Amino acid sequence: MRIKSLIVLITIFFIHVTALAEGGRVGKIVLDAGHGGDKPGAIGHFSQEKDIALAVTLQVGELMKKNMKDRQVIYTRTTDIDVPLAERHEIANRAKADLFVSIHVNSTPGTRTKIRSGSRTVKRKGKSVKVPNYIYKYDKTTEANGTETYVLGLSRNNQKVESIGEYSDNLTGEKEGLMDESDPMTAIIIAQYSQAFLASSVDLGARIQGQFAKQGRLDRGVKQISVEVLAGCVMPGVLIEIGFINNVEEEKYMNSPQGQTEIAHAIYNGILEYIKAVEG
Ligand SMILES: [Zn+2]
């Protein structure tokens, strides 16, 4: 882990200079469908994050190939396979991509409710007595809805608490894990990354969120956290949570052809708007 961090750190130092020198054109865009293979990501009532993420990612790619012929689309995966995080970063870094767009599906932690379920008889001091029987009901259904976009940066205190508290189910997974900000190496990596790419990442994130809002989705904002998915990439990047898989309505929406098309358009239009702004 330390050595991996060091490599990332050196890469960031090195590319930081190159990135600044190269200037504006956004020629290569990496589209990263979250999870895959035996890593399903968040699980809903009838679907899995990895499949929704892939379907939407491929549609965003199709829109780009059709409408941005002079730009290159690079996928980290196009099928249902698990690509390790480091390899996703390597694909983006090796290609010297200009943007990294990771597409994910949100979820909230489940709740456990203790429910009285009849009674049972037990022996106490030689006597049969009736005691209440309890079962636990696990419920992952949430009312939470809408889209949010993460960018890599040091978490502001209250945001970190909110993210970890509300979405711990999702964010402590190996892919969307938060890094340990008290680790000096991590802090340096994030500071370096922030200096080079945070402003651009926030700009891209805000434009994508704006497109979702235009479609009537709840805009949960752009959140700055130490999310590992973006930490190894030496380019502006965003991690988009396109909706909550454990919200009944949103799960249906994200699995429907119409929903997927709308989401893909929001992401595509956000990227397009960003490119126009950057390239002037
Ligand atoms: Zn995910």
Side-chain angles (χ1 to χ4, degrees):
M1 195 59 203
R2 281 256 154 188
I3 290 183
K4 199 185 110 194
S5 301
L6 191 63
I7 292 167
V8 171
L9 180 65
I10 291 165
T11 320
I12 287 179
F13 270 125
F14 178 71
I15 308 227
H16 176 51
V17 181
T18 330
L20 290 178
E22 275 175 1
R25 176 155 166 87
V26 185
K28 295 173 190 170
I29 298 127
V30 173
L31 297 178
D32 175 50
H35 314 274
D38 61 358
K39 310 256 173 65
I43 293 172
H45 296 95
F46 65 89
S47 63
Q48 300 182 331
E49 174 177 3
K50 63 171 185 173
D51 299 317
I52 298 171
L54 181 60
V56 170
T57 300
L58 292 176
Q59 273 206 49
V60 176
E62 284 310 308
L63 284 168
M64 287 183 155
K65 285 178 183 171
K66 209 172 125 197
N67 303 309
M68 298 179 176
K69 288 200 169 68
D70 53 340
R71 298 175 207 278
Q72 194 186 339
V73 177
I74 300 157
Y75 295 106
T76 54
R77 69 178 180 101
T78 54
T79 55
D80 183 21
I81 52 163
D82 171 41
V83 181
L85 205 49
E87 207 176 307
R88 295 174 195 248
H89 298 155
E90 217 182 294
I91 290 168
N93 293 336
R94 209 189 308 121
K96 294 197 171 71
D98 303 293
L99 276 186
F100 186 83
V101 178
S102 192
I103 297 172
H104 287 252
V105 178
N106 230 334
S107 85
T108 57
T111 52
R112 193 178 78 155
T113 322
K114 197 175 173 182
I115 300 167
R116 172 92 187 258
S117 170
S119 51
R120 65 201 156 95
T121 309
V122 293
K123 289 265 182 210
R124 264 185 205 160
K125 293 176 186 170
K127 285 182 188 168
S128 291
V129 284
K130 269 195 168 183
V131 295
N133 197 33
Y134 294 100
I135 54 163
Y136 291 98
K137 185 170 171 268
Y138 294 89
D139 191 4
K140 275 202 60 153
T141 301
T142 185
E143 296 295 313
N145 68 97
T147 69
E148 59 193 11
T149 299
Y150 302 140
V151 296
L152 178 68
L154 283 176
S155 313
R156 293 179 199 125
N157 276 343
N158 52 353
Q159 247 181 8
K160 190 178 174 188
V161 170
E162 185 201 321
S163 299
I164 290 176
E166 200 176 341
Y167 307 119
S168 55
D169 216 26
N170 213 9
L171 286 170
T172 51
E174 84 290 359
K175 289 282 187 292
E176 284 147 275
L178 295 176
M179 298 184 292
D180 175 15
E181 290 184 11
S182 65
D183 177 51
M185 188 71 85
T186 301
I188 293 170
I189 290 172
I190 294 175
Q192 279 298 313
Y193 180 96
S194 299
Q195 201 185 338
F197 312 119
L198 183 59
S200 303
S201 303
V202 170
D203 184 35
L204 172 62
R207 292 176 193 278
I208 292 169
Q209 284 297 127
Q211 292 291 333
F212 278 124
K214 261 193 200 172
Q215 294 179 344
R217 304 286 306 280
L218 175 69
D219 174 9
R220 305 176 68 96
V222 177
K223 295 177 178 176
Q224 188 176 316
I225 55 172
S226 53
V227 65
E228 206 182 344
V229 174
L230 304 172
C233 291
V234 281
M235 67 213 64
V238 291
L239 189 161
I240 312 162
E241 298 279 7
I242 61 172
F244 286 82
I245 202 166
N246 58 330
N247 174 307
V248 175
E249 286 307 311
E250 288 206 331
E251 185 181 19
K252 273 190 224 157
Y253 178 72
M254 289 187 292
N255 279 281
S256 70
Q258 191 205 336
Q260 292 182 353
T261 301
E262 283 178 14
I263 293 165
H265 274 88
I267 297 171
Y268 166 78
N269 286 330
I271 295 171
L272 183 64
E273 206 185 296
Y274 170 85
I275 290 175
K276 281 182 182 165
V278 166
E279 295 183 357

